[in-house]
Amino acid sequence: MRKRMVAGNWKMNKTPREAVDLVMLLKDKIDREDIDVVLCVPAINLIAVADTIMHTNIKLGAENLHYENCGAYTGETSATMLKEIGVSYVIVGHSERRSYFKESDEIVNKKVLKAFEYGITPIMCVGESLEEREDAITVEKIRIQVKKGLKGLTDKQAENVVIAYEPIWAIGTGKVATNEQAQEICHAIRECLTEMFGKDIADKTRILYGGSVNGKNADELFAMPDIDGGLVGGASLKEDFANIVNAE
Ligand code: PEP
């Protein structure tokens, strides 16, 4: 039985003070032990959020990391730094980073491996553009991202990695994939994992859906057999995040 996960991706939103206010608002409403609730916040907010979620069940996540341990990489954050302040999860390969910061599948793979090296669980994002969906190459595209992104993982790592299926056309657009569309691709991801690591492992790996999830559509999406929760952008900046966490 896979444990449900709901992770918020704040992107480049909230100052440290605003971050504390939001977490204070949310924390009493999302006190769940049966669900992994993760807040992935901008690097500047990590310490303030770490302090605010102390003694709660909420886990701390980062939005990015560098694949080197340290050195001349101005503006970047390493896994060692994240680990020291209590980060448990990190988003890797979000479509915004793939497109604006030219992150290739090879870079995504290095980041996934680096996160694991430091005991941080990567949430690896995959997803197709509208054009790719219209060209009927969605599954092909996703399979390449999964295979390249998870290259070299041990069985244990493959079991623990979290994959977020996020169709690019559904991110921040209010256009949510239908339950069937989301399930179809999450199932294809699980099949790809089965080919790579075997069925026992693929059955344990959590696959999230992301793309305009809100308090109204979450319960139906999360009820689909291969969807183990959600990665939530816009709605994670509001009280509605609590409704998503508490979706039946
Ligand atoms: C995201 O950016 O990861 C995301 C899913 O955004 P939204 O929920 O706003 O579509």
Side-chain angles (χ1 to χ4, degrees), residues 145-169:
Q145 288 182 321
V146 171
K147 287 196 169 174
K148 290 190 170 175
L150 302 187
K151 194 168 162 213
L153 258 62
T154 63
D155 287 355
K156 194 79 203 148
Q157 290 168 341
E159 197 177 296
N160 286 313
V161 71
V162 179
I163 299 177
Y165 167 55
E166 299 208 309
I168 298 168
W169 48 271

Side-chain angles (χ1 to χ4, degrees), residues 5-9 36-40 58-62 89 123 241:
M5 172 182 286
V6 177
N9 172 17
D36 281 333
V37 180
V38 186
L39 295 178
C40 300
I58 303 172
K59 300 188 174 74
L60 187 63
Y89 292 89
I123 303 174
F241 186 64

Side-chain angles (χ1 to χ4, degrees), residues 20-32:
V20 171
D21 288 346
L22 177 59
V23 178
M24 292 296 281
L25 174 81
L26 291 173
K27 68 180 187 179
D28 296 329
K29 298 182 164 65
I30 51 179
D31 189 18
R32 300 277 300 249

Side-chain angles (χ1 to χ4, degrees), residues 59-237:
K59 300 188 174 74
L60 187 63
E63 297 179 14
N64 185 30
L65 85 167
H66 197 275
Y67 54 79
E68 292 293 350
N69 291 337
C70 60
Y73 300 98
T74 304
E76 293 290 322
T77 310
S78 70
T80 349
M81 296 168 185
L82 297 178
K83 189 67 190 169
E84 190 175 305
I85 58 168
V87 167
S88 324
Y89 292 89
V90 61
I91 298 174
V92 174
H94 191 281
S95 59
E96 288 151 16
R97 293 211 59 89
R98 289 179 189 261
S99 77
Y100 302 142
F101 302 98
K102 307 287 169 261
E103 285 189 6
S104 62
D105 287 322
E106 288 69 26
I107 290 177
V108 170
N109 180 239
K110 284 190 193 182
K111 291 186 173 196
V112 165
L113 292 169
K114 185 55 68 177
F116 273 126
E117 193 182 320
Y118 283 85
I120 301 172
T121 302
I123 303 174
M124 185 183 83
C125 303
V126 297
E128 83 287 6
S129 66
L130 186 57
E131 203 180 1
E132 287 162 339
R133 176 159 283 268
E134 284 169 355
D135 288 347
I137 56 166
T138 299
V139 172
E140 199 180 313
K141 163 86 183 286
I142 304 293
R143 283 175 58 85
I144 291 170
Q145 288 182 321
V146 171
K147 287 196 169 174
K148 290 190 170 175
L150 302 187
K151 194 168 162 213
L153 258 62
T154 63
D155 287 355
K156 194 79 203 148
Q157 290 168 341
E159 197 177 296
N160 286 313
V161 71
V162 179
I163 299 177
Y165 167 55
E166 299 208 309
I168 298 168
W169 48 271
I171 295 179
T173 57
K175 253 191 239 163
V176 63
T178 64
N179 304 330
E180 293 71 26
Q181 281 173 328
Q183 163 59 23
E184 183 198 352
I185 304 306
C186 290
H187 182 70
I189 292 172
R190 206 173 299 286
E191 282 189 335
C192 188
L193 291 171
T194 303
E195 285 167 31
M196 292 175 77
F197 303 103
K199 189 169 181 329
D200 283 357
I201 287 168
D203 281 344
K204 290 186 185 138
T205 309
R206 287 184 290 185
I207 304 174
L208 312 181
Y209 167 78
S212 299
V213 175
N214 60 40
K216 293 205 173 80
N217 58 30
D219 54 347
E220 289 194 0
L221 283 161
F222 298 172
M224 302 309 279
D226 285 295
I227 301 180
D228 304 312
L231 180 57
V232 185
S236 72
L237 297 166

